[in-house]
Amino acid sequence: QVRLVESGGGLVQPGGSLRLSCAASGRIFSINSMGWYRQAPGKQRELVAAITSGGRTNYADSVKGRFTISRDNAKNTVYLQMNNLKPEDTAVYYCNAVIILKGNLYQTDYWGQGTQVTVSS
């Protein structure tokens, strides 16, 4: 099966920066879209940013101009550069990938375990 492992979360002050990474491993034939979602306590999980295999991107309005999503297809890795962080960015961030496994023709959603991002002074 597929495993998604996130890293890069932590505690930062408002205005600071973090870079999240998510590496996918397993019997992967191809990865279509990859993205980052976040969920704060008592809140709904929301899309932060997504990127297709062709490099098309989509961002939540709340992070446009501050966050940048990118991917390295050769490494099956997606990144999220977060600048000018705000307290409202505090959440658990989850990596998501839409993947076709070797031997299959259909695609499946996979999720990472989540990494905590806390923005506080």
Side-chain angles (χ1 to χ4, degrees):
Q1 296 186 18
V2 170
R3 183 186 182 198
L4 301 180
V5 179
E6 301 117 325
S7 63
L11 173 64
V12 297
Q13 294 184 336
S17 297
L18 285 173
R19 179 178 168 88
L20 304 183
S21 299
C22 174
S25 61
R27 294 178 52 81
I28 298 171
F29 175 73
S30 66
I31 302 177
N32 292 332
S33 65
M34 302 186 78
W36 292 92
Y37 291 72
R38 67 187 181 188
Q39 187 168 25
K43 307 296 182 181
Q44 202 80 26
R45 184 175 297 188
E46 64 174 349
L47 173 69
V48 178
I51 183 169
T52 69
S53 60
R56 300 181 188 272
T57 59
N58 184 41
Y59 296 93
D61 288 341
S62 60
V63 307
K64 285 183 178 178
R66 299 188 299 120
F67 292 8
T68 302
I69 189 170
S70 61
R71 63 189 286 174
D72 186 333
N73 291 331
K75 296 181 178 180
N76 290 333
T77 300
V78 64
Y79 307 93
L80 185 67
Q81 179 66 46
M82 304 185 293
N83 297 326
N84 191 24
L85 284 161
K86 303 176 179 180
E88 51 263 43
D89 295 319
T90 296
V92 177
Y93 284 69
Y94 296 92
C95 178
N96 170 261
V98 180
I99 296 174
I100 300 175
L101 299 181
K102 292 181 178 178
N104 293 342
L105 295 177
Y106 60 90
Q107 59 188 29
T108 303
D109 273 314
Y110 292 92
W111 293 89
Q113 81 287 347
T115 184
Q116 178 71 46
V117 172
T118 302
V119 184
S120 177
S121 59

